[in-house]
């Protein structure tokens, strides 16, 4: 039948609720045709309005469409399936889509995004789940998920409720994890490599707290530092030592304006003298011959002194030519061999986080839309660009902007 007429179900015929190809063609009936409806049109294949007739919501993607469904109070277009895909959307041709996908909505593309969500004032895409993951991103050759923002956080992860904000910073970052009652804001784990990596040209990792008694950082296990360690504070570099009463007590390091290594030992005079050899490994890490020896006699004598020192040993003698055979202990302090250019009481300038910058101004709506359009044009193929120009040139006057059912004819009684 060739016609430009519009069909409406007004309840006056035998089938008030549906347009069917056969009386028994409904659910459970016998289907007489391969296709229920095949429709072609210059501006669109099928236009449907459910409920109260309204003007179609026209836009760059809905003005011309194969199927356009609209409604005022309920769903404009619905696709459902028991065992397959409810709604399938595709752009480009020759898509090598995996088999056996089952989903409410499936989007497919070759080099374009499979699914795009856009909103002017809320989330572009939202995913919800009662007992599983709200959204999953996966890739075999690129990042599974990318979050980008011009003025705010790239990715924000919240567990239950947001936790405290970081003082003296705008709290804007590429990735932010926060939690109020679920203990941890961010967790990183790995079986084979690094659980969390922090890198920066200023400060790689910063941890601090303003709560008295709280810790800015805690390590449970061995710690390795490849670089210099500087500690500030009134009682730096303490060591918690187990005490017999079951507690831990704090002991502190001795400090020096120079870089020293030290070693301890014991020896015994023989007829008032002895040559003591340095530990071979200790001698390898101090400057040759540049060390100091402190002697402590462990018996009555005239006193002890170091007569001469070499790179591998030193000689100890009793004062005043004594010939005793007493034991003694010694302490050797040598300058660290691999440290050069050290300055006594060198001035320390703490590296502080940079001052917080003022937040970037959000782009205008027009600038934001223009940037999205520029990115879309850059991704588009030549055939897509030709299609965009063709659709843009179509006269809007040919569009059926209002669909109204015909007035019911009165029948004489």
């Amino acid at each position: 039948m060739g016609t430009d007429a519009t069909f409406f179900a007004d309840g006056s015929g035998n089938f008030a609720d549906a347009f069917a190809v056969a009386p028994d063609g409904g659910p459970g009936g016998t289907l007489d045709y391969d296709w229920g409806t095949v429709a072609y049109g210059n501006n669109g294949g099928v236009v449907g309005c459910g409920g109260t007739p309204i003007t179609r919501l026209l836009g760059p993607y809905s003005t011309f469409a194969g199927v356009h469904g609209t409604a005022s109070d309920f769903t404009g277009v619905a696709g459902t399936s028991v065992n397959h895909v409810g709604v399938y959307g595709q752009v480009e041709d020759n898509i090598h889509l995996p088999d056996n996908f089952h989903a409410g909505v499936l989007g497919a593309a070759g080099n374009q995004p499979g699914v795009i969500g856009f909103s002017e004032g809320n989330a572009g895409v939202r995913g919800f789940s009662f007992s599983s993951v709200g959204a999953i991103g996966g890739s075999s050759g690129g990042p599974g998920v990318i979050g980008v923002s011009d003025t705010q956080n790239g990715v924000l992860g919240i567990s239950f409720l947001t936790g405290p904000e970081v003082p003296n910073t705008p709290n804007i970052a590429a990735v932010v994890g926060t939690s109020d009652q679920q203990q941890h804001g961010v967790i990183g784990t790995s079986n084979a490599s690094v659980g969390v990596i922090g890198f920066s040209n200023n400060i790689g990792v910063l941890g601090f707290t303003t709560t008295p008694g709280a810790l800015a950082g805690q390590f449970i296990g061995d710690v390795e530092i490849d670089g210099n360690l500087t500690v500030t504070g009134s009682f730096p570099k303490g060591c918690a030592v187990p005490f017999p009463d079951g507690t831990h007590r704090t002991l502190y390091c001795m400090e020096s304006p120079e870089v020293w290594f030290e070693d301890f030992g014991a020896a015994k005079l023989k007829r008032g003298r002895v040559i003591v050899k340095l530990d071979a490994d200790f001698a390898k890490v101090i400057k040759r011959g540049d060390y100091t020896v402190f002697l402590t006699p462990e018996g009555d004598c005239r006193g002890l002194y170091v007569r001469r020192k070499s790179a591998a040993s030193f000689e100890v003698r009793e004062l005043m030519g004594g010939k005793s055979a007493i034991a003694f202990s010694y302490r050797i302090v040598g300058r660290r061999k691999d440290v050069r250019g050290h300055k006594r009481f060198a001035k320390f300038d703490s590296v502080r986080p940079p001052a917080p910058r003022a937040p970037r101004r959000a782009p205008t709506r027009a600038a934001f839309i223009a940037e999205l359009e520029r990115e879309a044009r850059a991704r588009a193929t030549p055939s897509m660009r030709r299609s965009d120009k063709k659709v843009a040139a179509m006269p809007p006057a040919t569009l059926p902007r209002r669909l109204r059912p015909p007035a019911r004819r009165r029948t004489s009684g």
Side-chain angles (χ1 to χ4, degrees):
M1 174 172 57
T3 179
D4 287 331
T6 304
F7 293 90
F8 295 90
D10 60 2
S12 61
N14 294 326
F15 306 100
D17 297 326
F19 178 79
V21 297
D24 58 353
T30 301
L31 302 178
D32 292 344
Y33 300 97
D34 291 336
W35 307 96
T37 300
V38 177
Y40 293 87
N42 289 327
N43 299 331
V46 176
V47 176
C49 178
T52 304
I54 64 170
T55 301
R56 289 198 303 150
L57 304 177
L58 303 180
Y61 305 100
S62 62
T63 298
F64 307 100
V67 175
H68 186 165
T70 187
S72 175
D73 300 312
F74 40 85
T75 306
V77 174
T80 64
S81 175
V82 176
N83 296 312
H84 208 259
V85 175
V87 174
Y88 175 75
Q90 175 179 320
V91 65
E92 299 174 289
D93 200 359
N94 297 320
I95 306 300
H96 302 290
L97 194 66
D99 295 332
N100 303 319
F101 275 172
H102 306 280
V105 176
L106 176 60
N111 297 303
Q112 303 298 314
V115 175
I116 293 178
F118 176 83
S119 173
E120 289 190 351
N122 207 299
V125 175
R126 301 190 72 177
F128 297 92
S129 175
F130 177 70
S131 59
S132 187
V133 181
I136 296 177
S139 173
S140 64
V145 176
I146 293 180
V148 180
S149 175
D150 289 335
T151 59
Q152 293 297 318
N153 299 310
V155 175
L156 174 62
I158 303 173
S159 178
F160 188 57
L161 295 174
T162 58
E165 291 191 346
V166 181
N168 304 318
T169 179
N171 287 270
I172 297 175
V175 177
V176 173
T178 179
S179 175
D180 181 33
Q181 301 294 332
Q182 302 301 316
Q183 294 187 349
H184 307 298
V186 175
I187 295 177
T189 67
S190 174
N191 277 327
S193 190
V194 182
V196 176
I197 293 179
F199 174 83
S200 172
N201 290 323
N202 188 268
I203 298 176
V205 176
L206 172 65
F208 72 94
T209 180
T210 57
T211 303
L215 300 176
Q218 184 178 44
F219 299 91
I220 303 174
D222 297 337
V223 177
E224 178 180 337
I225 299 175
D226 184 3
N228 299 325
L229 171 66
T230 302
V231 180
T232 62
S234 56
F235 294 100
K237 288 181 282 186
C239 176
V241 180
F243 236 55
D245 61 1
T247 63
H248 283 72
R249 307 297 177 91
T250 306
L251 300 179
Y252 299 98
C253 296
M254 295 180 64
E255 309 292 349
S256 170
E258 297 189 43
V259 186
W260 300 97
F261 283 151
E262 62 180 0
D263 196 15
F264 299 84
K268 187 176 181 180
L269 296 179
K270 184 176 181 180
R271 297 183 60 81
R273 66 180 63 184
V274 68
I275 294 177
V276 180
K277 292 183 179 181
L278 298 180
D279 181 282
D281 291 332
F282 179 74
K284 294 175 183 177
V285 296
I286 64 172
K287 294 182 179 179
R288 294 174 62 87
D290 187 10
Y291 58 89
T292 301
V293 181
F294 300 89
L295 303 173
T296 303
E298 297 181 354
D300 188 16
C301 67
R302 297 176 179 178
L304 305 177
Y305 70 98
V306 177
R307 184 175 184 273
R308 59 173 175 263
K309 296 182 293 185
S310 69
S313 63
F314 59 92
E315 182 182 0
V316 178
R317 290 192 180 188
E318 186 177 358
L319 291 171
M320 302 174 64
K323 303 295 183 181
S324 64
I326 65 164
F328 65 92
S329 59
Y330 59 86
R331 172 177 172 245
I332 307 172
V333 181
R335 285 186 172 83
R336 183 169 167 172
K337 184 177 182 179
D338 61 340
V339 174
R340 293 178 174 84
H342 170 73
K343 183 178 180 181
R344 289 172 56 89
F345 296 101
K347 185 177 180 181
F348 171 70
D349 294 320
S350 177
V351 178
R352 298 293 183 183
R357 298 179 181 178
R360 293 181 57 187
R361 293 181 57 184
T364 63
R365 178 184 178 278
F368 179 68
I369 296 295
E371 176 62 18
L372 294 180
E373 292 176 343
R374 184 193 67 78
E375 293 177 358
R377 286 193 298 269
R379 288 195 305 264
T381 63
S383 62
M384 290 177 181
R385 297 190 185 99
R386 290 192 296 269
S387 174
D388 291 340
K389 292 179 180 179
K390 178 181 178 180
V391 173
M394 295 180 68
T398 63
L399 300 176
R401 295 189 58 85
R402 184 82 172 176
L403 297 178
R404 296 182 181 275
R408 290 192 179 185
R409 290 176 295 177
R410 293 181 179 273
T411 57
S412 58

